[in-house]
Amino acid sequence: MAKLYFKYGTMGSSKTAQALITKFNYEERGMKTVLIKPSVDTRDGKNICKSRIGLSAEALTVNKSVNLFKLIKDMKVDVVIVDECQFLTEDQVDQLADVVMEMDIPVLCFGLRADFQTHLFPGSKRLFEIADSITEIKYICECGNKAVVNARLDENGRVVTEGSQVLIGGNDRYVAMCRKCWLKKIKERQNCR
């Protein structure tokens, strides 16, 4: 029986690399995959999914208005892999759950749990509510503790606590931290004002 999987972690935790490795593993067994990414993720180009360690593959880019059930229904695929799933809408996550239940196709979603203010993204929230399997991809803070916060940085490398939920960026804009280090950096910034 197919399942809806949610594999989440902080920035830099190898989510995309694991999505690409998963794609390779299925294809090595002769199974047809589709790799999907939300159109808001423009870091590596429109139809490219690329990890920080250099792995990459062609991806099907979808915007928020795409009905994923209808899209996948017309494909002959054995597995669906979604990168940056936090940017999906709650309806799109429900559509992926319908793919699992009605088409018996496994769907593996990789993405962030929360934003730079520690608030859940809509896609992640819905996945926590309905996914059949939830796995954390762990990463560590520079202090050695488990990283749980995607700290957003300004142009001077200081932690930012205000702004829109979505700001696409990589190592230049974000660093994964434990909550203790994140709160310490916020306090340091406030004391500098």
Side-chain angles (χ1 to χ4, degrees):
M1 185 176 136
K3 292 183 180 180
L4 175 62
Y5 297 87
F6 181 31
K7 299 173 185 271
Y8 72 94
T10 59
M11 298 284 292
S13 64
S14 78
K15 298 175 304 301
T16 298
Q18 289 192 29
L20 294 169
I21 290 167
T22 300
K23 179 182 185 312
F24 174 82
N25 289 340
Y26 275 98
E27 290 172 347
E28 190 175 42
R29 298 289 176 234
M31 297 178 184
K32 187 172 180 198
T33 67
V34 61
L35 176 61
I36 296 172
K37 78 171 195 171
S39 60
V40 69
D41 180 16
T42 58
R43 286 175 298 172
D44 301 309
K46 184 176 178 185
N47 293 319
I48 298 292
C49 190
K50 185 176 178 183
S51 73
R52 293 170 197 239
I53 62 169
L55 300 175
S56 65
E58 190 172 325
L60 180 60
T61 303
V62 298
N63 62 40
K64 292 180 183 287
S65 67
V66 171
N67 182 310
L68 296 176
F69 181 84
K70 288 180 181 176
L71 177 73
I72 295 163
K73 186 178 180 182
D74 295 333
M75 298 178 175
K76 298 220 183 283
V77 296
D78 298 303
V79 66
V80 176
I81 301 168
V82 182
D83 192 36
E84 304 294 350
C85 63
Q86 71 272 7
F87 298 132
L88 297 176
T89 67
E90 291 188 27
D91 285 343
Q92 286 176 317
V93 172
D94 287 339
Q95 293 157 12
L96 290 173
D98 290 343
V99 166
V100 171
M101 288 187 296
E102 295 183 31
M103 295 182 222
D104 199 31
I105 296 173
V107 176
L108 295 95
C109 297
F110 296 81
L112 298 172
R113 173 181 59 90
D115 65 18
F116 72 107
Q117 296 175 320
T118 69
H119 299 142
L120 291 174
F121 284 98
S124 301
K125 176 184 178 293
R126 191 65 181 138
L127 281 160
F128 274 118
E129 293 168 344
I130 67 169
D132 300 304
S133 174
I134 300 170
T135 307
E136 181 179 15
I137 302 168
K138 294 178 179 67
Y139 192 63
I140 59 166
C141 178
E142 64 183 17
C143 73
N145 290 324
K146 184 175 87 165
V148 295
V149 177
N150 300 300
R152 184 181 290 173
L153 308 175
D154 67 12
E155 56 280 347
N156 298 314
R158 295 176 300 197
V159 171
V160 176
T161 57
E162 296 177 350
S164 65
Q165 184 176 47
V166 176
L167 176 65
I168 303 300
N171 292 339
D172 60 324
R173 299 296 306 193
Y174 294 94
V175 64
M177 296 180 178
C178 69
R179 186 163 165 77
K180 183 176 181 179
C181 287
W182 179 65
L183 292 170
K184 180 181 172 187
K185 297 278 186 189
I186 291 170
K187 190 173 184 178
E188 287 172 4
R189 182 167 183 163
Q190 290 170 342
N191 289 338
C192 290
R193 291 182 180 172

